Amino acid sequence: MRRRRVLRLAGLATVTAAAGCSELSGGSGSDTASAIARRPDDDAPPRAVLPSPERGLEIVGLRTTGGAVGANAGQLATYEADDGTTFEVAALRMETESDATALASRIREQGRFYGMDVAVRHGVFVVAGGTDDADAHDRLLTLLSYSEAVNRAFIRNNDLLGGAADG
């Protein structure tokens, strides 16, 4: 069930399709040998942690969010792909790393929590994403990899690829 939820969440991103079953294309951490994504400063604004794709996606909405889940700051961006697929990505700054871990775990375990299907924690930040397009999982993960706090190796090492890495 968990893998099915993760696959559904990955549909959130509408960036370029995966270059292979185990490889994501693009992203801020294109060095797949490195498992270290840049850790954002604990005081960084959430906007700085949102993905910044180079092409194929446009931010069509941006709003402050996070109070309902206990974040002390947060931004929710709606991305739209050239094909009309939309993704929502939240960058949430929590008070502590344990708060961030608890929120990321809750999103992963419940699936579709506040519209988010997948989440990763890095420091006090949670980067979460979701989409209504069940076939867009790889595109969602690619979109998330354009965050300075997340890279392809980080996604792979945190088991966000689910069974896709075996393909």
Side-chain angles (χ1 to χ4, degrees):
M1 287 301 200
R2 180 176 173 176
R3 286 186 179 184
R4 189 175 300 149
R5 287 183 191 146
V6 171
L7 288 174
R8 191 176 65 213
L9 174 64
L12 186 94
T14 57
V15 190
T16 57
C21 289
S22 63
E23 201 63 35
L24 296 174
S25 60
S28 61
S30 59
D31 178 9
T32 58
S34 172
I36 301 173
R38 286 185 20 194
R39 182 184 176 111
D41 181 56
D42 287 353
D43 295 327
R47 175 76 172 109
V49 181
L50 284 172
S52 299
E54 296 169 2
R55 64 186 187 289
L57 287 174
E58 179 181 343
I59 293 179
V60 296
L62 185 65
R63 66 182 173 97
T64 301
T65 190
V69 293
N72 61 20
Q75 292 276 280
L76 177 67
T78 302
Y79 295 81
E80 185 174 319
D82 294 339
D83 67 359
T85 304
T86 59
F87 304 92
E88 289 197 341
V89 176
L92 305 166
R93 187 177 67 216
M94 306 301 288
E95 188 66 32
T96 66
E97 287 188 23
S98 64
D99 291 343
T101 298
L103 177 60
S105 295
R106 187 172 184 188
I107 292 169
R108 283 193 302 259
E109 290 167 6
Q110 288 187 352
R112 215 60 189 150
F113 180 73
Y114 281 99
M116 300 294 126
D117 300 304
V118 70
V120 294
R121 178 201 63 87
H122 200 168
V124 296
F125 283 91
V126 174
V127 179
T131 186
D132 290 331
D133 184 347
D135 296 326
H137 177 81
D138 288 337
R139 294 168 69 193
L140 174 60
L141 293 178
T142 300
L143 173 60
L144 294 179
S145 76
Y146 279 93
S147 168
E148 73 171 32
V150 182
N151 65 15
R152 293 181 294 175
F154 191 85
I155 288 171
R156 184 179 57 247
N157 292 343
N158 284 280
D159 196 29
L160 295 181
L161 291 171
D166 300 330

